[in-house]
Amino acid sequence: MKILVAVKRAIDYNVKARPKSDGTGVELANVKMSMNPFDEIAVEEAIRLQEAGKVEEIIAVSVGPAQCQETLRTAMAMGADRGILVQTETEIQPLGVAKLLKALVDKEQPGLVILGKQAIDDDSNQTGQMLAGLLGWAQGTFAAKVEVGVDTVDVKREVDGGLQALTLKLPAVITADLRLNEPRYVKLPNIMKAKKKPLDIVTPADLGVDVAPRLKLVKVSEPAARAGGVKVADVNELVAKLRNEAKVI
Ligand code: AMP
């Protein structure tokens, strides 16, 4: 079985995202970019399945500008066998990414596609679900545990207040949640080895996919600044403030 893993180049999780001054999007100029953290977990899971002998090949896919090659090289340094960059300079919305991934699934015929549960830049949490819908495949989202059987996969999903256990028929789409695993650190020799692994570059047009945006971004703005807190002397003062100032009781 092959596994396709989607890896997005996103703003590094340590960087505070800021809106552009004209509100047309998030500022990306001179901002550190890295692999979306949930996608590292997705790659790690694919590698563990390969190490367990359940998977022959892991293909990492990224959609975005030429710099996404770095993200793919990181996935390959972790252990992915090859990479595919769908190169485009325009920002592609989750539906567009899902359509591109579907086109690659049709071509590569993987038994499993693993994505992150969400990209930490747009927080959409849509791509995996849309891909499963477009393919007509089963989906196990927010996965905290994955066990691949002969023609099924057992997924434990993070849900409010616990875990939900599902058995999905293969082929299937899985999205990785935080507790699924702890991704390995990339070792220097593996970075060198990854440079020699195959990396194909295609465009949305090569895949025959229309990626025109379907959603219009109206405005990106900072959240309202939080007012400082005050200490109250006793419960009576607290209740008075809640009633008269905050007007919440
Ligand atoms: P989202 O629906 O945007 O929150 O993204 C969910 C997941 O879809 C991510 O964690 C990635 O695995 C995948 N994904 C989204 N956008 C891209 C992209 N441009 N390239 C590769 N994978 C992506």
Side-chain angles (χ1 to χ4, degrees), residues 2-151:
K2 284 188 200 174
I3 295 193
L4 206 85
V5 188
V7 293
K8 183 174 188 183
R9 180 174 178 266
I11 295 187
D12 187 88
Y13 72 99
N14 287 307
V15 173
K16 185 178 180 321
R18 294 186 190 284
K20 286 185 190 160
S21 51
D22 60 3
T24 55
V26 174
E27 187 58 76
L28 295 180
N30 302 319
V31 171
K32 181 170 186 246
M33 307 288 282
S34 302
M35 187 189 300
N36 182 47
F38 294 108
D39 304 356
E40 286 184 16
I41 297 172
V43 175
E44 176 66 36
E45 195 62 20
I47 299 166
R48 290 186 189 191
L49 289 170
Q50 193 179 43
E51 287 170 346
K54 311 256 179 195
V55 172
E56 280 99 52
E57 191 182 32
I58 301 168
I59 309 164
V61 178
S62 195
V63 177
Q67 294 91 319
C68 295
Q69 290 184 44
E70 290 163 24
T71 318
L72 290 168
R73 291 285 172 210
T74 305
M76 290 190 269
M78 287 175 75
D81 298 294
R82 60 187 169 101
I84 303 175
L85 167 63
V86 184
Q87 192 165 339
T88 157
E89 293 310 316
T90 54
E91 202 179 316
I92 312 281
Q93 294 176 348
L95 179 59
V97 176
K99 287 182 187 168
L100 292 167
L101 292 173
K102 176 180 186 297
L104 289 172
V105 167
D106 290 344
K107 207 167 147 206
E108 299 285 350
Q109 302 283 310
L112 203 56
V113 183
I114 313 184
L115 306 88
K117 74 162 177 179
Q118 75 191 55
I120 61 164
D121 48 6
D122 60 22
D123 274 343
S124 295
N125 175 14
Q126 294 173 355
T127 311
Q129 294 87 331
M130 286 176 167
L131 175 63
L134 291 171
L135 288 165
W137 287 8
Q139 57 180 295
T141 52
F142 307 97
K145 193 166 194 317
V146 170
E147 274 174 290
V148 173
V150 179
D151 46 19

